[in-house]
Amino acid sequence: MMNDVVIVGGGLAGATAAQTLRAEGFTGTITLVCQENHLPYLRPPLSKGFLAGREDETSLLPYTADDYTEHGIELLEGEAAVAINRAAATVTLAQGRVLEYGQLLLATGASPRTLEVPGAGLPGVHYLRTLEDSRSLRESLKRAGPGQGRCRVVLVGSGWIGMEVAATATTLGAEVTVLGRDKVPLAAAIGPELGRVFMDRQKEAGVKFYTETIVTEIVERDGRAAGVTTGSGSYVPADVIVVAVGVAPNTALAEAAGLSIDNGILTDGALRTDDPRILAAGDAANPYHPFIGGHLRSEHWANAISSGKVAARTMMGKTAQLDDVPYFYTDQFDLGMEYSGYSSLASNAKMVLRGDPASRKFIAFWLMPVSSTRGWVVAGMSVNVWDIQDDIKFLISSGHEVQTSQLSDPDIPLGEL
Ligand code: FAD
């Protein structure tokens, strides 16, 4: 039987695309191939509220089971696509079924990068991508909890997920050590001055840091991971080790089908790959972005939603383009942060602060200077300042020049710049 649309990957991007097709009036058949044995769910809480035990599984669902049934979206849970035959326009599933497609959307997401050192495969070493990963980490944190002393957690990686897990595990009573390659955590994303704001808050809560450190071995005792050794020869004992050293886009299926790959599945701004019947969205895709005039892969929740919507509209023959200003957020202890903008441009821009980072309530802008006093904003990050992200996105996308002195003045509303 012909499936008008087949979506491979039941994450947020795939689910959003399927639901958007229906919301926009698509009447053909839609089949969503979900490798995981779950309804599509949200991952951000896996390192925050769900890991902490504050949120349950139902709260992770962007759509209920009824939303799929009522909208005539066929979900194939626990089914993985293993091959695409572009000439025949078919997808083969692991259990042998072959789906014919009119159009195919690849929303296969990303997978954690693994640590390639001796002992990395030992029990007690965790990664965090799926609901099961989060659940198993939570169980491990509990097991080594009250009665057996404080659970010693070593986080390998000081990026967003590592820092979030550090905060959550500390809140749960664990004794946490973060090992990071850079001098300051998060420096690659937001620079050392602002990365230090997060590091200082974590230290205040008792988190220890080893910076400019690499792990050379995970040491075994009684068949389990018992600690890590670092490049400088230190040994850090651990009950639980969490590796959070970034993710890689899941491109194997697309690559085997001969689609162009470069840091993700390459697409145009409408999310079409170089095969006009195949699109890609979410973490797996590396779409052309008109603002930066090049490809921009995003590994964030908001992009999964916006790219799912654009893919749906493109499949319906509508004019659509992924031109949103990238956005993401993090929560660590009492630091709530939102970021909008182009981090690749921000790394070469001048930082302008509105408010004092030491107060933990401030906005940082990244400005491309056009003179010593003026420039255009390419990114903005707010910490514990709320409801201003739309203004920041407008400043970025409008591209109009602002005065540095006005940008840093908290008495001038952003909407008036
Ligand atoms: P995924 O969510 O990875 O879904 C892809 C799905 O496709 C998976 O279920 C996968 O199993 C399936 N799949 C892969 N290959 C196949 C195949 N061959 N056949 C069938 N199915 C297949 N973003 C933020 O903006 N803010 C945050 O605070 C934040 N926190 C995060 C915390 C954690 C712990 C994690 C893991 C991610 C976080 N993110 C956050 C990132 C965000 O969750 C991702 O950007 C988003 O999940 C991407 O959605 P996706 O649908 O593209 O991919």
Side-chain angles (χ1 to χ4, degrees):
M1 190 191 90
M2 165 65 94
N3 301 271
D4 296 308
V5 168
V6 172
I7 302 173
V8 176
L12 185 57
T16 304
Q19 296 288 350
T20 305
L21 283 166
R22 286 295 182 242
E24 303 236 343
F26 182 74
T27 53
T29 52
I30 305 172
T31 305
L32 183 51
V33 184
C34 308
Q35 183 170 267
E36 294 181 69
N37 248 317
H38 296 287
L39 291 174
Y41 59 89
L42 304 172
R43 295 183 202 274
L46 301 182
S47 51
K48 312 177 187 72
F50 184 78
L51 180 62
R54 287 194 310 271
E55 292 173 43
D56 65 9
E57 200 173 322
T58 341
S59 70
L60 304 184
L61 302 180
Y63 303 100
T64 64
D66 287 349
D67 291 328
Y68 298 98
T69 317
E70 283 163 15
H71 295 147
I73 297 164
E74 188 185 6
L75 281 187
L76 303 180
E77 286 172 54
E79 286 268 22
V82 291
I84 300 167
N85 181 333
R86 285 166 55 191
T90 60
V91 175
T92 304
L93 306 185
Q95 291 163 44
R97 192 166 155 193
V98 176
L99 304 174
E100 269 183 74
Y101 61 80
Q103 296 187 83
L104 174 65
L105 172 62
L106 300 176
T108 46
S111 298
R113 290 187 193 279
T114 52
L115 198 61
E116 304 298 332
V117 298
L122 285 167
V125 178
H126 293 256
Y127 289 87
L128 185 54
R129 184 73 191 178
T130 65
L131 216 151
E132 286 77 14
D133 293 340
S134 180
R135 208 178 264 146
S136 134
L137 177 57
R138 197 198 315 163
E139 285 308 309
S140 298
L141 293 173
K142 269 199 230 159
R143 259 203 305 277
Q148 301 164 46
R150 289 177 73 194
C151 175
R152 297 161 306 168
V153 179
V154 167
L155 251 308
V156 183
S158 59
W160 296 113
I161 291 182
M163 293 289 273
E164 288 175 359
V165 174
T168 305
T170 303
T171 310
L172 291 173
E175 194 182 298
V176 178
T177 305
V178 175
L179 309 185
R181 214 177 33 190
D182 295 331
K183 198 166 184 174
V184 178
L186 308 172
I190 55 174
E193 185 182 349
L194 301 181
R196 205 162 278 122
V197 173
F198 290 87
M199 178 160 81
D200 288 348
R201 179 64 189 91
Q202 298 253 0
K203 280 185 173 173
E204 211 174 274
V207 177
K208 295 191 186 73
F209 285 88
Y210 284 67
T211 56
E212 296 178 283
T213 295
I214 54 156
V215 170
T216 50
E217 186 179 355
I218 296 187
V219 176
E220 185 230 301
R221 193 179 324 121
D222 301 331
R224 291 186 60 78
V228 301
T229 49
T230 71
S232 60
S234 302
Y235 174 70
V236 189
D239 302 305
V240 173
I241 296 169
V242 185
V243 179
V245 293
V247 296
N250 293 328
T251 55
L253 189 65
E255 195 168 358
L259 297 172
S260 296
I261 309 291
D262 181 7
N263 181 31
I265 307 165
L266 287 176
T267 76
D268 63 12
L271 301 183
R272 280 187 215 90
T273 66
D274 39 22
D275 181 326
R277 293 169 80 171
I278 306 180
L279 297 89
D283 282 12
N286 188 5
Y288 177 84
H289 195 294
F291 188 89
I292 60 162
H295 287 265
L296 176 66
R297 192 170 77 78
S298 183
E299 295 167 356
H300 298 299
W301 159 91
N303 172 65
I305 296 175
S306 48
S307 62
K309 289 181 178 172
V310 168
R313 290 185 190 127
T314 300
M315 287 192 284
M316 290 178 76
K318 298 184 178 188
T319 305
Q321 176 154 254
L322 188 65
D323 54 7
D324 293 31
V325 176
Y327 164 90
F328 69 96
Y329 65 93
T330 185
D331 293 314
Q332 297 170 33
F333 300 108
D334 50 5
L335 296 179
M337 181 285 255
E338 294 180 279
Y339 181 108
S340 294
Y342 301 95
S343 51
S344 56
L345 301 179
S347 55
N348 298 314
K350 173 182 167 188
M351 190 174 72
V352 177
L353 292 169
R354 175 177 277 220
D356 179 5
S359 70
R360 294 179 182 157
K361 192 171 175 173
F362 65 97
I363 309 173
F365 298 96
W366 284 267
L367 200 69
M368 267 320 169
V370 289
S371 73
S372 58
T373 57
R374 301 176 70 81
W376 45 281
V377 178
V378 293
M381 166 181 125
S382 51
V383 173
N384 292 339
V385 179
W386 305 106
D387 300 325
I388 45 111
Q389 284 296 319
D390 285 347
D391 288 335
I392 292 177
K393 284 181 189 166
F394 181 74
L395 272 179
I396 297 168
S397 53
S398 65
H400 80 262
E401 283 178 27
V402 292
Q403 271 192 10
T404 314
S405 58
Q406 293 190 330
L407 204 56
S408 60
D409 184 345
D411 293 329
I412 303 177
L414 292 183
E416 289 176 17
L417 288 176

PDB file of all heavy atoms in Angstrom, residues 22 42 140 187 198 204 213 223 256 282 343 355 395:
ATOM      1  N   ARG A  22      -1.739  17.422   9.470  1.00  0.00           N
ATOM      2  CA  ARG A  22      -3.192  17.357   9.700  1.00  0.00           C
ATOM      3  C   ARG A  22      -3.770  18.737  10.014  1.00  0.00           C
ATOM      4  O   ARG A  22      -4.814  19.112   9.474  1.00  0.00           O
ATOM      5  CB  ARG A  22      -3.509  16.411  10.865  1.00  0.00           C
ATOM      6  CG  ARG A  22      -3.345  14.948  10.526  1.00  0.00           C
ATOM      7  CD  ARG A  22      -4.349  14.491   9.468  1.00  0.00           C
ATOM      8  NE  ARG A  22      -4.188  13.069   9.194  1.00  0.00           N
ATOM      9  CZ  ARG A  22      -3.842  12.544   7.996  1.00  0.00           C
ATOM     10  NH1 ARG A  22      -3.647  13.310   6.946  1.00  0.00           N
ATOM     11  NH2 ARG A  22      -3.722  11.248   7.858  1.00  0.00           N
ATOM     12  N   LEU A  42       9.264  14.541  24.835  1.00  0.00           N
ATOM     13  CA  LEU A  42      10.202  15.662  24.947  1.00  0.00           C
ATOM     14  C   LEU A  42      11.424  15.230  25.744  1.00  0.00           C
ATOM     15  O   LEU A  42      11.278  14.605  26.805  1.00  0.00           O
ATOM     16  CB  LEU A  42       9.530  16.838  25.688  1.00  0.00           C
ATOM     17  CG  LEU A  42       8.220  17.345  25.092  1.00  0.00           C
ATOM     18  CD1 LEU A  42       7.573  18.369  26.018  1.00  0.00           C
ATOM     19  CD2 LEU A  42       8.479  17.976  23.719  1.00  0.00           C
ATOM     20  N   SER A 140      20.115   4.749  39.612  1.00  0.00           N
ATOM     21  CA  SER A 140      21.491   4.638  40.115  1.00  0.00           C
ATOM     22  C   SER A 140      21.759   5.702  41.162  1.00  0.00           C
ATOM     23  O   SER A 140      22.435   5.441  42.152  1.00  0.00           O
ATOM     24  CB  SER A 140      22.504   4.806  38.988  1.00  0.00           C
ATOM     25  OG  SER A 140      22.339   3.795  38.058  1.00  0.00           O
ATOM     26  N   ALA A 187      32.136  27.566  27.980  1.00  0.00           N
ATOM     27  CA  ALA A 187      32.841  28.683  27.334  1.00  0.00           C
ATOM     28  C   ALA A 187      32.700  28.621  25.808  1.00  0.00           C
ATOM     29  O   ALA A 187      32.588  29.651  25.155  1.00  0.00           O
ATOM     30  CB  ALA A 187      34.313  28.678  27.729  1.00  0.00           C
ATOM     31  N   PHE A 198      27.736  30.309  35.528  1.00  0.00           N
ATOM     32  CA  PHE A 198      27.132  28.997  35.795  1.00  0.00           C
ATOM     33  C   PHE A 198      28.061  28.161  36.686  1.00  0.00           C
ATOM     34  O   PHE A 198      27.602  27.484  37.602  1.00  0.00           O
ATOM     35  CB  PHE A 198      26.835  28.283  34.470  1.00  0.00           C
ATOM     36  CG  PHE A 198      25.708  28.936  33.713  1.00  0.00           C
ATOM     37  CD1 PHE A 198      25.933  29.991  32.841  1.00  0.00           C
ATOM     38  CD2 PHE A 198      24.397  28.524  33.901  1.00  0.00           C
ATOM     39  CE1 PHE A 198      24.895  30.612  32.166  1.00  0.00           C
ATOM     40  CE2 PHE A 198      23.340  29.130  33.224  1.00  0.00           C
ATOM     41  CZ  PHE A 198      23.593  30.183  32.362  1.00  0.00           C
ATOM     42  N   GLU A 204      28.958  26.946  44.321  1.00  0.00           N
ATOM     43  CA  GLU A 204      28.261  27.385  45.535  1.00  0.00           C
ATOM     44  C   GLU A 204      27.402  26.253  46.109  1.00  0.00           C
ATOM     45  O   GLU A 204      27.237  26.121  47.309  1.00  0.00           O
ATOM     46  CB  GLU A 204      27.345  28.540  45.132  1.00  0.00           C
ATOM     47  CG  GLU A 204      27.105  29.583  46.161  1.00  0.00           C
ATOM     48  CD  GLU A 204      26.305  30.696  45.505  1.00  0.00           C
ATOM     49  OE1 GLU A 204      26.910  31.592  44.899  1.00  0.00           O
ATOM     50  OE2 GLU A 204      25.049  30.648  45.575  1.00  0.00           O
ATOM     51  N   THR A 213      40.714  19.273  31.488  1.00  0.00           N
ATOM     52  CA  THR A 213      41.000  17.894  31.890  1.00  0.00           C
ATOM     53  C   THR A 213      40.406  16.921  30.888  1.00  0.00           C
ATOM     54  O   THR A 213      39.272  17.110  30.435  1.00  0.00           O
ATOM     55  CB  THR A 213      40.335  17.637  33.275  1.00  0.00           C
ATOM     56  OG1 THR A 213      40.983  18.474  34.210  1.00  0.00           O
ATOM     57  CG2 THR A 213      40.456  16.200  33.709  1.00  0.00           C
ATOM     58  N   GLY A 223      33.792  -5.493  38.743  1.00  0.00           N
ATOM     59  CA  GLY A 223      33.001  -5.557  37.511  1.00  0.00           C
ATOM     60  C   GLY A 223      32.251  -4.280  37.187  1.00  0.00           C
ATOM     61  O   GLY A 223      31.458  -4.246  36.252  1.00  0.00           O
ATOM     62  N   ALA A 256      23.551   5.907   3.561  1.00  0.00           N
ATOM     63  CA  ALA A 256      23.500   4.661   2.788  1.00  0.00           C
ATOM     64  C   ALA A 256      22.600   4.808   1.562  1.00  0.00           C
ATOM     65  O   ALA A 256      22.774   4.093   0.566  1.00  0.00           O
ATOM     66  CB  ALA A 256      22.997   3.524   3.683  1.00  0.00           C
ATOM     67  N   GLY A 282      14.855  18.506  12.240  1.00  0.00           N
ATOM     68  CA  GLY A 282      15.313  18.267  13.607  1.00  0.00           C
ATOM     69  C   GLY A 282      16.829  18.156  13.709  1.00  0.00           C
ATOM     70  O   GLY A 282      17.578  18.645  12.855  1.00  0.00           O
ATOM     71  N   SER A 343      25.061  31.466  17.349  1.00  0.00           N
ATOM     72  CA  SER A 343      26.283  31.346  18.148  1.00  0.00           C
ATOM     73  C   SER A 343      27.535  31.385  17.275  1.00  0.00           C
ATOM     74  O   SER A 343      28.579  31.848  17.701  1.00  0.00           O
ATOM     75  CB  SER A 343      26.236  30.095  19.008  1.00  0.00           C
ATOM     76  OG  SER A 343      25.918  28.996  18.229  1.00  0.00           O
ATOM     77  N   GLY A 355      22.992  44.903  32.821  1.00  0.00           N
ATOM     78  CA  GLY A 355      22.902  44.300  34.159  1.00  0.00           C
ATOM     79  C   GLY A 355      24.225  43.625  34.495  1.00  0.00           C
ATOM     80  O   GLY A 355      25.074  43.422  33.626  1.00  0.00           O
ATOM     81  N   LEU A 395      15.160  42.108  17.369  1.00  0.00           N
ATOM     82  CA  LEU A 395      16.386  42.904  17.161  1.00  0.00           C
ATOM     83  C   LEU A 395      17.328  42.189  16.191  1.00  0.00           C
ATOM     84  O   LEU A 395      17.943  42.805  15.331  1.00  0.00           O
ATOM     85  CB  LEU A 395      17.136  43.066  18.489  1.00  0.00           C
ATOM     86  CG  LEU A 395      16.787  44.227  19.394  1.00  0.00           C
ATOM     87  CD1 LEU A 395      17.641  44.161  20.662  1.00  0.00           C
ATOM     88  CD2 LEU A 395      17.026  45.550  18.671  1.00  0.00           C
TER      89      LEU A 395
END
